[in-house]
Amino acid sequence: MSHESTYFVANNPQAVLKTPVEVWQEIIDHVLYDPIAFLTDPYYPGCNFHTAFNEWTDRRRLRELEVQRGTLRLVSRSWKFLIDSRSQKYFEPYFCGNPIQQSAWARSAHRLNFDHFCIAGEHDAGSSTSQCNKCQNYKAYMSANNESPHLGGHPFGATVVRLPTQKDSKLYLEVQNRSLDSVFPKARALFVWYRDAPTMQLLSWFTGLTFLSICLERTDFLQINDAAPQFPSLKTFHLELIDDGRIDFLEQWDMPLLAHFQLCLPALEPGLTPLATHIGKGLVRFCLRIHEEYVFLPDNFWQALPVLQYFSTTIIKPNSNFPVPPFGHSLRTLGLLEETNHMDDARDIAGHLIELWEEIDTISDCHSWDDAPECFGNLIDSPDGSLDFQHHHMDTNCWQCIKNLYLTCRKHGLRYEDREGRTLSGL
């Protein structure tokens, strides 16, 4: 509903009163329903694997939807009742200053974000603004008590889920080592950041997750013989490692429905083969970002990922053998992840892979057509691609390299997308 329509309704109460409740219910459901607000996993059937996560985490879009809901509640008492009776509301709680309302929102939240924190003792939750001066964000601490923001003796904090206790204004949340399914019964998506944590105990408290995103600052504290988390419903797993590339602990995790895996790390030790063998059977999307070295694909890579449809990565090792997907393999899209200083290599290799990986039909790049020089669109009507640009290899958007890859895709009949999933001709 546009602002003009909302204004009309708000200033014409008789129109509201004369229209049947069932009609308004359908209108309200249509206005306030945005699929991404209620999905508990970003990758729905038919989505663009290259863009779905960014759309799913577009909080501005979702908060605007919540503002619209609040506006419509003011139209009339009957509208307020209809809107409040809807089973689907905003996807995650946020700080509102009302402890009772905050608690209700937390219990109805589908997504929880625990991905930033301060070390215990450094967090300034008692300030007059209830805002931490260290991290510049509101905080909720999962703590054993209200005096020491610790979880099992180790610091742990949270953003977005800001649940004040009713007895004071401090932003603490008591968990006391019980299942978080009882605290957040509808939570299906979790973002969490661990620092110096001794185990993955927190994860075992969420048994119904369909989406999980973890950032680990260290993995040397993890023991291979630790009890492995069980995620019987998990479909999407994003993992970021800050300090090392050890991933062998994942080989014990039980994720039978895993279909989307994203891995970000500085290096990869000992390699991809063991993990791919463990989790690759059902993967349809695999995103691999390595910061400090080239990506090396083992010879059995495609055999370990038999139903993979989308593969995105940073720079594949130039002098590798580039293992070729077997005939009839399901791979259709190659995505290029942004790498500030080496996008020229990445695009050059992608152009080479187009000729080798005959199963793919789409290249999804990391630039945006919105940033293209005005004359770049002339390539659409230029059969020989005679338009040239200067090379700027230290820039993510080297338009000469983008032009070369675009023409290669056009020559082989492939779709060439920007980071929003758009083609040049579709602008």
Side-chain angles (χ1 to χ4, degrees):
M1 180 179 288
S2 66
H3 293 295
E4 293 78 6
S5 299
T6 303
Y7 177 84
F8 172 80
V9 169
N11 287 275
N12 292 271
Q14 291 303 315
V16 176
L17 295 175
K18 292 180 180 180
T19 303
V21 172
E22 295 78 10
V23 175
W24 286 123
Q25 181 69 71
E26 292 185 12
I27 293 173
I28 289 171
D29 286 344
H30 176 74
V31 170
L32 294 183
Y33 182 75
D34 187 326
I36 72 165
F38 309 111
L39 292 171
T40 53
D41 190 281
Y43 304 104
Y44 55 89
C47 74
N48 186 322
F49 287 157
H50 198 63
T51 64
F53 180 74
N54 289 338
E55 295 170 357
W56 189 62
T57 53
D58 184 356
R59 289 197 174 102
R60 175 178 296 182
R61 169 179 170 180
L62 297 172
R63 292 188 190 278
E64 288 176 352
L65 182 66
E66 179 64 10
V67 170
Q68 178 77 293
R69 189 181 75 86
T71 300
L72 295 179
R73 291 177 78 250
L74 301 176
V75 173
S76 69
R77 179 175 297 182
S78 60
W79 274 38
K80 179 179 182 297
F81 174 79
L82 286 174
I83 292 169
D84 290 347
S85 66
R86 297 178 73 249
S87 60
Q88 293 187 327
K89 298 180 181 178
Y90 189 47
F91 79 119
E92 64 183 5
Y94 59 95
F95 184 69
C96 68
N98 182 326
I100 297 176
Q101 182 65 68
Q102 184 70 52
S103 178
W105 277 338
R107 291 186 59 80
S108 66
H110 292 171
R111 310 185 200 178
L112 305 177
N113 190 330
F114 293 170
D115 62 355
H116 297 284
F117 65 89
C118 292
I119 298 175
E122 292 185 356
H123 181 73
D124 185 19
S127 66
S128 60
T129 61
S130 295
Q131 187 175 22
C132 176
N133 294 324
K134 296 289 185 181
C135 60
Q136 296 300 308
N137 209 329
Y138 288 102
K139 293 292 172 178
Y141 272 98
M142 308 188 71
S143 57
N145 57 67
N146 281 351
E147 301 299 327
S148 176
H150 284 66
L151 178 63
H154 295 270
F156 188 86
T159 61
V160 179
V161 179
R162 308 176 181 107
L163 185 61
T165 62
Q166 297 186 35
K167 60 186 177 182
D168 58 37
S169 60
K170 293 183 179 180
L171 302 178
Y172 293 123
L173 169 62
E174 292 192 26
V175 175
Q176 299 179 338
N177 295 326
R178 61 193 174 99
S179 172
L180 293 187
D181 286 346
S182 62
V183 181
F184 305 108
K186 296 186 178 180
R188 295 297 178 266
L190 173 67
F191 296 78
V192 62
W193 186 314
Y194 275 95
R195 179 177 182 178
D196 299 332
T199 68
M200 290 292 179
Q201 181 184 15
L202 172 71
L203 299 183
S204 65
W205 292 347
F206 286 94
T207 59
L209 294 179
T210 57
F211 172 92
L212 175 62
S213 176
I214 304 178
C215 179
L216 293 176
E217 293 206 15
R218 292 171 51 200
T219 59
D220 57 344
F221 58 78
L222 294 172
Q223 301 298 320
I224 293 298
N225 58 359
D226 280 349
Q230 307 289 313
F231 296 112
S233 303
L234 193 67
K235 296 179 181 179
T236 300
F237 181 28
H238 290 184
L239 174 63
E240 180 176 2
L241 305 180
I242 301 296
D243 292 335
D244 62 45
R246 175 190 165 193
I247 57 174
D248 52 348
F249 64 92
L250 293 176
E251 296 170 29
Q252 293 187 327
W253 289 30
D254 185 20
M255 301 175 284
L257 299 183
L258 191 65
H260 307 277
F261 181 50
Q262 180 168 305
L263 181 61
C264 178
L265 67 174
L268 185 59
E269 300 174 2
L272 276 176
T273 300
L275 180 61
T277 301
H278 177 60
I279 68 172
K281 184 177 180 180
L283 286 187
V284 297
R285 176 186 175 273
F286 183 27
C287 177
L288 178 60
R289 181 187 295 274
I290 300 181
H291 295 304
E292 299 175 3
E293 62 182 34
Y294 287 109
V295 174
F296 179 80
L297 302 181
D299 291 337
N300 65 341
F301 183 71
W302 302 111
Q303 286 73 18
L305 303 162
V307 297
L308 195 71
Q309 299 175 25
Y310 171 94
F311 176 58
S312 63
T313 186
T314 43
I315 309 168
I316 301 176
K317 191 173 182 180
N319 58 350
S320 67
N321 293 324
F322 302 124
V324 178
F327 178 77
H329 194 276
S330 56
L331 182 69
R332 293 297 177 266
T333 302
L334 172 64
L336 306 185
L337 300 180
E338 184 173 352
E339 187 67 31
T340 306
N341 296 327
H342 302 285
M343 286 309 302
D344 56 326
D345 288 341
R347 292 187 174 109
D348 183 64
I349 292 171
H352 179 55
L353 293 178
I354 287 174
E355 300 182 359
L356 293 178
W357 295 359
E358 298 180 356
E359 305 295 336
I360 62 176
D361 56 29
T362 301
I363 298 292
S364 295
D365 209 333
C366 59
H367 68 281
S368 173
W369 293 124
D370 293 339
D371 301 325
E374 186 174 349
C375 60
F376 199 89
N378 294 335
L379 284 173
I380 297 176
D381 301 319
S382 175
D384 59 356
S386 57
L387 189 65
D388 286 322
F389 304 88
Q390 288 187 340
H391 281 289
H392 293 286
H393 291 321
M394 299 305 291
D395 188 350
T396 300
N397 296 343
C398 175
W399 292 103
Q400 182 61 27
C401 292
I402 293 172
K403 169 212 162 182
N404 293 341
L405 184 54
Y406 165 79
L407 293 177
T408 302
C409 288
R410 187 167 73 178
K411 174 183 176 182
H412 291 271
L414 272 66
R415 177 183 174 90
Y416 181 55
E417 300 177 344
D418 70 352
R419 63 171 177 257
E420 282 87 26
R422 304 171 301 178
T423 64
L424 181 60
S425 59
L427 295 182

PDB file of all heavy atoms in Angstrom, residues 13 15-17 19 52 62 86 115 156-157 180 183 211 264 271 288 297 331 341 361 398 412:
ATOM      1  N   PRO A  13     -12.597   7.531   7.383  1.00  0.00           N
ATOM      2  CA  PRO A  13     -13.012   6.436   8.269  1.00  0.00           C
ATOM      3  C   PRO A  13     -14.297   5.764   7.826  1.00  0.00           C
ATOM      4  O   PRO A  13     -14.507   4.583   8.090  1.00  0.00           O
ATOM      5  CB  PRO A  13     -13.173   7.137   9.617  1.00  0.00           C
ATOM      6  CG  PRO A  13     -13.371   8.592   9.289  1.00  0.00           C
ATOM      7  CD  PRO A  13     -12.554   8.828   8.065  1.00  0.00           C
ATOM      8  N   ALA A  15     -15.180   4.978   4.835  1.00  0.00           N
ATOM      9  CA  ALA A  15     -14.822   3.945   3.856  1.00  0.00           C
ATOM     10  C   ALA A  15     -14.367   2.676   4.563  1.00  0.00           C
ATOM     11  O   ALA A  15     -14.658   1.554   4.128  1.00  0.00           O
ATOM     12  CB  ALA A  15     -13.728   4.456   2.924  1.00  0.00           C
ATOM     13  N   VAL A  16     -13.683   2.862   5.668  1.00  0.00           N
ATOM     14  CA  VAL A  16     -13.233   1.708   6.445  1.00  0.00           C
ATOM     15  C   VAL A  16     -14.420   0.981   7.057  1.00  0.00           C
ATOM     16  O   VAL A  16     -14.533  -0.248   7.015  1.00  0.00           O
ATOM     17  CB  VAL A  16     -12.249   2.167   7.548  1.00  0.00           C
ATOM     18  CG1 VAL A  16     -11.854   0.983   8.425  1.00  0.00           C
ATOM     19  CG2 VAL A  16     -11.023   2.816   6.931  1.00  0.00           C
ATOM     20  N   LEU A  17     -15.351   1.749   7.630  1.00  0.00           N
ATOM     21  CA  LEU A  17     -16.469   1.152   8.351  1.00  0.00           C
ATOM     22  C   LEU A  17     -17.429   0.415   7.425  1.00  0.00           C
ATOM     23  O   LEU A  17     -18.047  -0.579   7.812  1.00  0.00           O
ATOM     24  CB  LEU A  17     -17.230   2.250   9.118  1.00  0.00           C
ATOM     25  CG  LEU A  17     -16.440   2.940  10.249  1.00  0.00           C
ATOM     26  CD1 LEU A  17     -17.256   4.083  10.828  1.00  0.00           C
ATOM     27  CD2 LEU A  17     -16.081   1.934  11.330  1.00  0.00           C
ATOM     28  N   THR A  19     -16.705  -1.120   4.559  1.00  0.00           N
ATOM     29  CA  THR A  19     -16.112  -2.248   3.822  1.00  0.00           C
ATOM     30  C   THR A  19     -16.115  -3.490   4.701  1.00  0.00           C
ATOM     31  O   THR A  19     -15.727  -3.425   5.871  1.00  0.00           O
ATOM     32  CB  THR A  19     -14.664  -1.917   3.400  1.00  0.00           C
ATOM     33  OG1 THR A  19     -14.675  -0.719   2.627  1.00  0.00           O
ATOM     34  CG2 THR A  19     -14.067  -3.046   2.584  1.00  0.00           C
ATOM     35  N   ALA A  52      20.067 -14.123  -3.057  1.00  0.00           N
ATOM     36  CA  ALA A  52      19.014 -14.401  -2.074  1.00  0.00           C
ATOM     37  C   ALA A  52      19.406 -13.996  -0.664  1.00  0.00           C
ATOM     38  O   ALA A  52      18.583 -13.452   0.087  1.00  0.00           O
ATOM     39  CB  ALA A  52      18.647 -15.884  -2.114  1.00  0.00           C
ATOM     40  N   LEU A  62      12.761  -4.638   5.731  1.00  0.00           N
ATOM     41  CA  LEU A  62      11.896  -5.298   6.690  1.00  0.00           C
ATOM     42  C   LEU A  62      11.414  -4.353   7.780  1.00  0.00           C
ATOM     43  O   LEU A  62      10.281  -4.450   8.252  1.00  0.00           O
ATOM     44  CB  LEU A  62      12.633  -6.486   7.292  1.00  0.00           C
ATOM     45  CG  LEU A  62      12.986  -7.574   6.263  1.00  0.00           C
ATOM     46  CD1 LEU A  62      13.888  -8.619   6.882  1.00  0.00           C
ATOM     47  CD2 LEU A  62      11.734  -8.213   5.715  1.00  0.00           C
ATOM     48  N   ARG A  86      -2.808 -11.282  13.279  1.00  0.00           N
ATOM     49  CA  ARG A  86      -2.055 -11.987  12.238  1.00  0.00           C
ATOM     50  C   ARG A  86      -0.986 -12.848  12.882  1.00  0.00           C
ATOM     51  O   ARG A  86      -0.287 -12.430  13.797  1.00  0.00           O
ATOM     52  CB  ARG A  86      -1.407 -11.006  11.259  1.00  0.00           C
ATOM     53  CG  ARG A  86      -2.407 -10.164  10.489  1.00  0.00           C
ATOM     54  CD  ARG A  86      -1.711  -9.175   9.575  1.00  0.00           C
ATOM     55  NE  ARG A  86      -1.120  -9.855   8.415  1.00  0.00           N
ATOM     56  CZ  ARG A  86       0.178  -9.980   8.215  1.00  0.00           C
ATOM     57  NH1 ARG A  86       1.029  -9.527   9.098  1.00  0.00           N
ATOM     58  NH2 ARG A  86       0.629 -10.568   7.136  1.00  0.00           N
ATOM     59  N   ASP A 115      25.718 -11.831  16.779  1.00  0.00           N
ATOM     60  CA  ASP A 115      26.986 -11.858  16.047  1.00  0.00           C
ATOM     61  C   ASP A 115      27.979 -10.761  16.417  1.00  0.00           C
ATOM     62  O   ASP A 115      28.972 -10.590  15.717  1.00  0.00           O
ATOM     63  CB  ASP A 115      26.739 -11.840  14.538  1.00  0.00           C
ATOM     64  CG  ASP A 115      26.032 -10.578  14.071  1.00  0.00           C
ATOM     65  OD1 ASP A 115      25.654  -9.762  14.918  1.00  0.00           O
ATOM     66  OD2 ASP A 115      25.868 -10.417  12.855  1.00  0.00           O
ATOM     67  N   PHE A 156      29.996 -13.740  26.372  1.00  0.00           N
ATOM     68  CA  PHE A 156      29.126 -13.938  25.219  1.00  0.00           C
ATOM     69  C   PHE A 156      28.099 -12.833  25.197  1.00  0.00           C
ATOM     70  O   PHE A 156      27.480 -12.534  26.203  1.00  0.00           O
ATOM     71  CB  PHE A 156      28.427 -15.290  25.307  1.00  0.00           C
ATOM     72  CG  PHE A 156      27.666 -15.647  24.071  1.00  0.00           C
ATOM     73  CD1 PHE A 156      28.304 -16.268  23.021  1.00  0.00           C
ATOM     74  CD2 PHE A 156      26.331 -15.305  23.935  1.00  0.00           C
ATOM     75  CE1 PHE A 156      27.621 -16.574  21.863  1.00  0.00           C
ATOM     76  CE2 PHE A 156      25.646 -15.613  22.788  1.00  0.00           C
ATOM     77  CZ  PHE A 156      26.285 -16.250  21.749  1.00  0.00           C
ATOM     78  N   GLY A 157      27.903 -12.183  24.082  1.00  0.00           N
ATOM     79  CA  GLY A 157      26.938 -11.095  24.003  1.00  0.00           C
ATOM     80  C   GLY A 157      26.080 -11.225  22.776  1.00  0.00           C
ATOM     81  O   GLY A 157      26.251 -12.121  21.966  1.00  0.00           O
ATOM     82  N   LEU A 180      17.430 -23.101  24.729  1.00  0.00           N
ATOM     83  CA  LEU A 180      16.929 -21.817  24.253  1.00  0.00           C
ATOM     84  C   LEU A 180      15.658 -21.979  23.429  1.00  0.00           C
ATOM     85  O   LEU A 180      15.013 -20.996  23.090  1.00  0.00           O
ATOM     86  CB  LEU A 180      18.004 -21.105  23.433  1.00  0.00           C
ATOM     87  CG  LEU A 180      19.223 -20.660  24.230  1.00  0.00           C
ATOM     88  CD1 LEU A 180      20.133 -19.825  23.345  1.00  0.00           C
ATOM     89  CD2 LEU A 180      18.834 -19.867  25.458  1.00  0.00           C
ATOM     90  N   VAL A 183      13.126 -20.413  25.455  1.00  0.00           N
ATOM     91  CA  VAL A 183      13.184 -18.953  25.520  1.00  0.00           C
ATOM     92  C   VAL A 183      12.751 -18.335  24.194  1.00  0.00           C
ATOM     93  O   VAL A 183      12.018 -17.355  24.153  1.00  0.00           O
ATOM     94  CB  VAL A 183      14.619 -18.489  25.871  1.00  0.00           C
ATOM     95  CG1 VAL A 183      14.672 -16.966  25.976  1.00  0.00           C
ATOM     96  CG2 VAL A 183      15.083 -19.123  27.177  1.00  0.00           C
ATOM     97  N   PHE A 211      18.607 -22.378   9.608  1.00  0.00           N
ATOM     98  CA  PHE A 211      19.705 -21.533   9.132  1.00  0.00           C
ATOM     99  C   PHE A 211      20.642 -21.254  10.298  1.00  0.00           C
ATOM    100  O   PHE A 211      20.200 -20.928  11.397  1.00  0.00           O
ATOM    101  CB  PHE A 211      19.182 -20.211   8.575  1.00  0.00           C
ATOM    102  CG  PHE A 211      20.273 -19.217   8.232  1.00  0.00           C
ATOM    103  CD1 PHE A 211      20.813 -19.175   6.961  1.00  0.00           C
ATOM    104  CD2 PHE A 211      20.770 -18.339   9.192  1.00  0.00           C
ATOM    105  CE1 PHE A 211      21.825 -18.277   6.642  1.00  0.00           C
ATOM    106  CE2 PHE A 211      21.779 -17.443   8.886  1.00  0.00           C
ATOM    107  CZ  PHE A 211      22.307 -17.415   7.608  1.00  0.00           C
ATOM    108  N   CYS A 264      34.144 -19.181   4.786  1.00  0.00           N
ATOM    109  CA  CYS A 264      35.035 -18.030   4.641  1.00  0.00           C
ATOM    110  C   CYS A 264      36.180 -18.191   5.630  1.00  0.00           C
ATOM    111  O   CYS A 264      35.943 -18.304   6.841  1.00  0.00           O
ATOM    112  CB  CYS A 264      34.252 -16.743   4.911  1.00  0.00           C
ATOM    113  SG  CYS A 264      35.258 -15.246   4.808  1.00  0.00           S
ATOM    114  N   GLY A 271      42.504 -29.423   3.596  1.00  0.00           N
ATOM    115  CA  GLY A 271      41.980 -29.407   2.244  1.00  0.00           C
ATOM    116  C   GLY A 271      40.483 -29.631   2.264  1.00  0.00           C
ATOM    117  O   GLY A 271      39.860 -29.822   3.310  1.00  0.00           O
ATOM    118  N   LEU A 288      32.780 -20.529  -1.404  1.00  0.00           N
ATOM    119  CA  LEU A 288      34.087 -20.700  -0.787  1.00  0.00           C
ATOM    120  C   LEU A 288      34.916 -19.435  -0.952  1.00  0.00           C
ATOM    121  O   LEU A 288      35.305 -19.077  -2.063  1.00  0.00           O
ATOM    122  CB  LEU A 288      34.811 -21.897  -1.422  1.00  0.00           C
ATOM    123  CG  LEU A 288      36.217 -22.189  -0.913  1.00  0.00           C
ATOM    124  CD1 LEU A 288      36.214 -22.491   0.575  1.00  0.00           C
ATOM    125  CD2 LEU A 288      36.833 -23.350  -1.690  1.00  0.00           C
ATOM    126  N   LEU A 297      41.053 -26.789  -6.136  1.00  0.00           N
ATOM    127  CA  LEU A 297      39.982 -27.787  -6.175  1.00  0.00           C
ATOM    128  C   LEU A 297      40.577 -29.174  -6.381  1.00  0.00           C
ATOM    129  O   LEU A 297      41.303 -29.401  -7.348  1.00  0.00           O
ATOM    130  CB  LEU A 297      39.004 -27.477  -7.316  1.00  0.00           C
ATOM    131  CG  LEU A 297      38.325 -26.101  -7.279  1.00  0.00           C
ATOM    132  CD1 LEU A 297      37.370 -25.962  -8.457  1.00  0.00           C
ATOM    133  CD2 LEU A 297      37.607 -25.878  -5.959  1.00  0.00           C
ATOM    134  N   LEU A 331      25.781 -28.680 -12.099  1.00  0.00           N
ATOM    135  CA  LEU A 331      26.313 -27.316 -11.975  1.00  0.00           C
ATOM    136  C   LEU A 331      25.806 -26.422 -13.102  1.00  0.00           C
ATOM    137  O   LEU A 331      25.897 -26.764 -14.277  1.00  0.00           O
ATOM    138  CB  LEU A 331      27.849 -27.341 -12.014  1.00  0.00           C
ATOM    139  CG  LEU A 331      28.519 -25.973 -11.852  1.00  0.00           C
ATOM    140  CD1 LEU A 331      28.339 -25.440 -10.434  1.00  0.00           C
ATOM    141  CD2 LEU A 331      29.998 -26.051 -12.212  1.00  0.00           C
ATOM    142  N   ASN A 341      42.151  -7.061  -4.828  1.00  0.00           N
ATOM    143  CA  ASN A 341      43.360  -6.857  -5.629  1.00  0.00           C
ATOM    144  C   ASN A 341      43.527  -7.840  -6.782  1.00  0.00           C
ATOM    145  O   ASN A 341      44.492  -7.712  -7.540  1.00  0.00           O
ATOM    146  CB  ASN A 341      44.598  -6.954  -4.727  1.00  0.00           C
ATOM    147  CG  ASN A 341      44.632  -5.853  -3.685  1.00  0.00           C
ATOM    148  OD1 ASN A 341      44.178  -4.745  -3.936  1.00  0.00           O
ATOM    149  ND2 ASN A 341      45.156  -6.158  -2.513  1.00  0.00           N
ATOM    150  N   ASP A 361      25.613 -22.302 -17.288  1.00  0.00           N
ATOM    151  CA  ASP A 361      24.904 -21.407 -18.198  1.00  0.00           C
ATOM    152  C   ASP A 361      24.849 -19.971 -17.678  1.00  0.00           C
ATOM    153  O   ASP A 361      24.281 -19.100 -18.331  1.00  0.00           O
ATOM    154  CB  ASP A 361      23.478 -21.904 -18.464  1.00  0.00           C
ATOM    155  CG  ASP A 361      22.664 -22.094 -17.186  1.00  0.00           C
ATOM    156  OD1 ASP A 361      22.906 -21.386 -16.186  1.00  0.00           O
ATOM    157  OD2 ASP A 361      21.770 -22.959 -17.178  1.00  0.00           O
ATOM    158  N   CYS A 398      37.070  -3.337 -12.726  1.00  0.00           N
ATOM    159  CA  CYS A 398      37.861  -3.026 -13.914  1.00  0.00           C
ATOM    160  C   CYS A 398      36.952  -3.281 -15.115  1.00  0.00           C
ATOM    161  O   CYS A 398      36.677  -4.437 -15.465  1.00  0.00           O
ATOM    162  CB  CYS A 398      39.112  -3.895 -13.996  1.00  0.00           C
ATOM    163  SG  CYS A 398      40.042  -3.644 -15.529  1.00  0.00           S
ATOM    164  N   HIS A 412      29.464 -17.542 -25.929  1.00  0.00           N
ATOM    165  CA  HIS A 412      29.107 -18.931 -25.620  1.00  0.00           C
ATOM    166  C   HIS A 412      27.645 -19.085 -25.200  1.00  0.00           C
ATOM    167  O   HIS A 412      27.237 -20.188 -24.808  1.00  0.00           O
ATOM    168  CB  HIS A 412      30.023 -19.475 -24.515  1.00  0.00           C
ATOM    169  CG  HIS A 412      31.450 -19.656 -24.958  1.00  0.00           C
ATOM    170  ND1 HIS A 412      31.905 -20.816 -25.527  1.00  0.00           N
ATOM    171  CD2 HIS A 412      32.509 -18.805 -24.928  1.00  0.00           C
ATOM    172  CE1 HIS A 412      33.190 -20.697 -25.817  1.00  0.00           C
ATOM    173  NE2 HIS A 412      33.586 -19.481 -25.468  1.00  0.00           N
TER     174      HIS A 412
END
